Amino acid sequence: MILHENKVSYLTFEIFDKLDFVRHAFSTRVGGVSKGCYESLNLGLNRGDDPDDVITNYILFAREIGFDYNNMVLSDQVHGKEIYNVKQEDRGKGIVKESDIKNIDGLITNIPNLILTTFYADCTPLFFADIKKRVIAISHSGWKGTVLKIGEATLNEMIEKYNSDVRDILIGIGPSICKDCFEVDEPVYLEFKGVFDYIDDYCVKKGIKYYIDTKSLIKRTFLDLGIIEKNIEVSEFCTKCRPDLFYSHRYSGGERGSLAGFIELNSYGE
């Protein structure tokens, strides 16, 4: 990923930067007006921050990227695997008007100028773009979502609803907690073990704790589903290792703001 260190700092995937029909970004905590544990670019409207400050942060971020924040569609995440197909009438839901999009961890669309928006603070962002069918998606893969295979669920939605071919799909695996920081107890490890019989290839046990490399595990699942390896980009950034740049739930003990991932289909390539 490329870190764009501006007044409002953000990251982009190199493989997505090459596409003329997609605009995307992953936020950092740098460049906003929020205060205290939310300092400074908090994009979470349900974290307890001043709502006016959060909206100002959206305006600043959108201006930096070239988004119209009125076109954003916000998820309502529950660490599940449900995917919602975003429609024209969903424009602005969760940000400038009330939303009826509930219990959703993944968003997908083939409609231009709708900005799909999901939230993070250690969980793994998954960005998708079908370069032939012009379909985009973004999903929130926490450890529970990873065990539930939300990445696979998103791919299946692209294939079944939009006739996508896995050979045409680019995937970005974004900033999240790294293998040296994602420490879990045995019950969580066993949940992974019950789904991924190869989990020990991506896990190290130290004493009674387990350390899981979720980003590499997720990449493996995509490769097994037929995604071409050169079409997957994995961020090396760890949200817990870089509290100067990111909000981290584990680092802060839950006292924090939210990062966000954004992806928009536009008409530049047509």
Side-chain angles (χ1 to χ4, degrees):
M1 289 191 90
I2 299 172
L3 174 61
H4 305 266
E5 295 187 88
N6 304 321
K7 185 175 181 182
V8 176
S9 294
Y10 63 96
L11 298 102
T12 59
F13 291 100
E14 293 183 64
I15 58 171
F16 284 83
D17 287 339
K18 297 173 183 176
L19 303 177
D20 59 1
F21 64 93
V22 169
R23 182 183 290 117
H24 77 292
F26 187 79
S27 73
T28 69
R29 66 182 301 166
V30 179
V33 300
S34 292
K35 305 165 188 69
C37 67
Y38 310 110
E39 186 181 357
S40 65
L41 191 70
N42 171 40
L43 297 175
L45 282 159
N46 62 352
R47 298 300 308 169
D49 195 3
D50 183 331
D52 290 338
D53 285 350
V54 181
I55 294 299
T56 298
N57 291 340
Y58 272 97
I59 293 169
L60 292 170
F61 186 84
R63 185 181 301 154
E64 182 69 37
I65 308 301
F67 286 141
D68 180 348
Y69 83 101
N70 294 286
N71 292 338
M72 292 178 179
V73 181
L74 276 54
S75 60
D76 176 58
Q77 297 164 195
V78 292
H79 294 274
K81 67 169 185 177
E82 295 302 311
I83 313 299
Y84 180 77
N85 288 271
V86 177
K87 301 173 288 296
Q88 196 71 253
E89 57 264 32
D90 297 317
R91 187 183 308 276
K93 286 185 178 179
I95 179 72
V96 295
K97 62 184 180 183
E98 290 294 319
S99 179
D100 57 358
I101 301 172
K102 303 296 182 183
N103 304 322
I104 294 296
D105 283 80
L107 301 171
I108 185 170
T109 197
N110 64 350
I111 301 172
N113 307 124
L114 293 173
I115 306 166
L116 311 184
T117 308
T118 49
F119 301 94
Y120 306 89
D122 284 337
C123 296
T124 308
L126 304 178
F127 289 68
F128 303 78
D130 181 334
I131 61 175
K132 296 286 183 64
K133 296 294 194 297
R134 303 292 174 89
V135 179
I136 56 170
I138 187 168
S139 293
H140 160 260
S141 188
W143 77 260
K144 291 181 180 179
T146 302
V147 168
L148 291 170
K149 298 186 176 181
I150 189 173
E152 181 174 350
T154 308
L155 280 181
N156 287 341
E157 193 75 4
M158 296 176 78
I159 294 165
E160 293 169 12
K161 296 290 178 64
Y162 301 91
N163 200 31
S164 291
D165 186 318
V166 290
R167 293 169 296 183
D168 300 326
I169 295 174
L170 305 185
I171 295 177
I173 301 174
S176 59
I177 194 165
C178 75
K179 62 183 180 181
D180 297 320
C181 293
F182 185 46
E183 173 192 287
V184 301
D185 295 323
E186 187 172 45
V188 173
Y189 162 77
L190 291 175
E191 291 210 39
F192 278 91
K193 184 74 170 176
V195 174
F196 306 103
D197 56 11
Y198 48 78
I199 186 61
D200 291 333
D201 293 340
Y202 302 94
C203 181
V204 175
K205 186 178 182 183
K206 299 179 182 178
I208 62 171
K209 300 292 186 180
Y210 297 81
Y211 292 80
I212 300 176
D213 183 355
T214 53
K215 284 189 275 196
S216 294
L217 176 63
I218 292 168
K219 180 181 178 181
R220 163 73 179 272
T221 65
F222 286 137
L223 291 172
D224 288 348
L225 291 166
I227 300 295
I228 300 169
E229 185 160 16
K230 69 180 178 63
N231 289 346
I232 304 174
E233 181 177 344
V234 182
S235 171
E236 295 182 356
F237 285 97
C238 170
T239 45
K240 188 171 184 285
C241 289
R242 292 293 306 272
D244 60 312
L245 197 58
F246 303 109
Y247 299 110
S248 167
H249 190 81
R250 290 209 173 194
Y251 180 87
S252 65
E255 298 295 318
R256 46 83 181 173
S258 288
L259 308 162
F262 304 85
I263 188 166
E264 176 188 25
L265 188 67
N266 58 52
S267 58
Y268 292 162
E270 298 183 0

